[in-house]
Amino acid sequence: MNQRDREVLGCTGSPLRVSWDSLGDDVVVQVAGEIDLSTADQFDTALRAATEITEPGARLIVDLEKVEFLGAAGLNGLLRACERCTARDVGLVSVAAHPMVTKPVQVLGMAVLLGLVARFPEDCA
């Protein structure tokens, strides 16, 4: 990923690290750090940009395996991404196993909506 990609995804100079790659037709957004009120705009910007480059019928895979905390603002970002994906006929898969990420999603009953899985989809490995 070059500097322009980092700027497009809004990940320069922040404790939240976001990068993306294409895997076949799918787009994988890799996120590391904490997603809270101070980083939510950066997270939302990255997901918006990634959704726009994902072709209809493909998947946006949000890899949250290196995320240590997912606050309410981050959950809102995932919900907005879900809405954008639905509008564009893009599948959403959220990959996470850390309890600080999975527990709030599950408690709020959003696991199915956000496509939450504990492991990276096998057809992408």
Side-chain angles (χ1 to χ4, degrees), residues 36 46 62 89:
D36 57 20
V62 183
D89 190 31

Side-chain angles (χ1 to χ4, degrees), residues 35-117:
I35 307 170
D36 57 20
L37 190 57
S38 68
T39 59
D41 286 343
Q42 174 189 345
F43 181 59
D44 192 54
T45 298
L47 292 180
R48 180 180 295 113
T51 303
E52 289 174 3
I53 63 170
T54 305
E55 295 293 326
R59 295 177 296 185
L60 173 62
I61 301 170
V62 183
D63 182 354
L64 302 167
E65 290 182 327
K66 294 182 181 173
V67 170
E68 298 143 7
F69 178 78
L70 179 66
L75 286 168
N76 282 330
L78 283 171
L79 284 173
R80 285 189 295 275
C82 180
E83 292 169 352
R84 289 189 294 266
C85 285
T86 299
R88 291 183 41 82
D89 190 31
V90 169
L92 177 64
V93 177
S94 303
V95 182
H98 195 294
M100 292 298 286
V101 176
T102 60
K103 189 166 184 165
V105 172
Q106 292 167 339
V107 166
L108 293 171
M110 296 171 25
V112 173
L113 180 66
L114 299 179
L116 183 65
V117 295

Side-chain angles (χ1 to χ4, degrees), residues 27-40:
V27 173
V28 179
V29 177
Q30 297 168 320
V31 187
E34 296 184 358
I35 307 170
D36 57 20
L37 190 57
S38 68
T39 59

